[in-house]
Amino acid sequence: MGHELVGRHRAEVRPRYGRIAVLGSSVAVTLIAVLGGTGALPSSADSSPRGPVGEVAAPLETPSSTPDVDTEDKSSEPTTETNRLTAEQVAANEAEALRNDTSLPADSGEGRRVIFSEHRQRVWLVNDDEEVVRTYLVSGSVYDNLDPGTFEVYSRSEDATGIDDSGTMKYFVRFTQGDTGAAIGFHDIPILDGELIQRFRDLGTPLSHGCIRQRRADAIALWNFAPLGTTVVVTV
């Protein structure tokens, strides 16, 4: 009986490996859950790529489900206003280049002469040696009343009065006549009611009724340069 009790007691305390395995699995699951919650183990839901230890890669950008209405970059496209300003600037640059062009016009004759370019609104005084002794901007006619050609100074008046109440002028050097018979020549900027009828800075622009307006100093220079019979060449 004694052996039987001993044998029965040993049978009762024999290890239950199945239970130990179940218990071990429970502990392992619990440990994994704890470590996963603290970040020590990667979570199955976290599929973001990771860099070196301690460095987490930036999350991938997810494209928007609603596309932009207009994603085209139009910043480089010129607007109508820009085109207009550009055209104005080009015209201004061309006008400035024309004003600064002092070269003699082509086919402007030879020898001692006065040259007037209608297109460039400029006068040249050229001596017998083909040297330009003076050149300057003027204001010719706003009307088409002077044809290109070669003329001669036929009349001079130190003081004159313009037609149609256009003021008084000095150093009038006449070289031709218009369709109405009115004289056309060079003189200074007329004065009306005690004031110049145009500004100096507008020289280089057609503004007269038929003659060629000059600064007073230029008018005196041409007066001294061009006695009766002096050749005057008008070019386009």
Side-chain angles (χ1 to χ4, degrees):
M1 182 174 179
H3 293 288
E4 184 179 354
L5 288 175
V6 172
R8 184 177 300 173
H9 177 71
R10 289 178 179 174
E12 291 177 355
V13 298
R14 185 186 311 167
R16 302 294 195 268
Y17 294 107
R19 292 183 180 180
I20 293 175
V22 171
L23 178 61
S25 298
S26 300
V27 172
V29 170
T30 302
L31 180 61
I32 291 173
V34 171
L35 293 177
T38 60
L41 292 177
S43 172
S44 61
D46 183 10
S47 59
S48 300
R50 294 181 178 272
V53 176
E55 178 183 347
V56 179
L60 298 177
E61 294 184 0
T62 303
S64 173
S65 59
T66 304
D68 292 337
V69 175
D70 186 2
T71 59
E72 183 180 359
D73 182 9
K74 299 182 179 180
S75 60
S76 60
E77 294 183 4
T79 63
T80 301
E81 180 69 11
T82 301
N83 289 337
R84 185 179 67 82
L85 293 176
T86 300
E88 290 180 354
Q89 187 61 49
V90 168
N93 292 340
E94 290 177 349
E96 185 65 20
L98 192 65
R99 288 172 62 88
N100 295 331
D101 184 4
T102 60
S103 61
L104 284 176
D107 301 324
S108 60
E110 58 184 18
R112 183 181 180 85
R113 65 199 185 277
V114 177
I115 303 169
F116 167 53
S117 169
E118 294 183 287
H119 177 59
R120 292 157 67 177
Q121 291 291 292
R122 179 176 285 275
V123 163
W124 292 260
L125 308 183
V126 183
N127 64 18
D128 291 323
D129 297 325
E130 293 296 320
E131 296 173 341
V132 176
V133 298
R134 194 178 187 97
T135 182
Y136 49 88
L137 294 172
V138 297
S139 285
S141 176
V142 296
Y143 306 109
D144 185 19
N145 55 2
L146 179 59
D147 294 326
T150 301
F151 309 88
E152 285 187 1
V153 174
Y154 73 88
S155 175
R156 291 159 42 105
S157 298
E158 188 169 344
D159 296 285
T161 301
I163 61 175
D164 299 329
D165 194 27
S166 57
T168 60
M169 57 210 71
K170 295 182 69 66
Y171 307 107
F172 200 160
V173 177
R174 305 172 184 88
F175 61 88
T176 191
Q177 295 179 339
D179 296 336
T180 63
I184 295 177
F186 305 93
H187 55 69
D188 69 349
I189 297 175
I191 296 176
L192 182 63
D193 297 330
E195 295 184 357
L196 296 173
I197 65 175
Q198 79 167 73
R199 300 170 298 184
F200 293 138
R201 68 187 182 197
D202 292 329
L203 290 169
T205 304
L207 291 173
S208 80
H209 295 153
C211 289
I212 298 101
R213 299 174 181 172
Q214 313 161 100
R215 287 177 180 264
R216 176 68 62 84
D218 294 327
I220 293 173
L222 188 142
W223 173 271
N224 293 330
F225 181 84
L228 293 175
T230 300
T231 299
V232 176
V233 179
V234 178
T235 68
V236 292

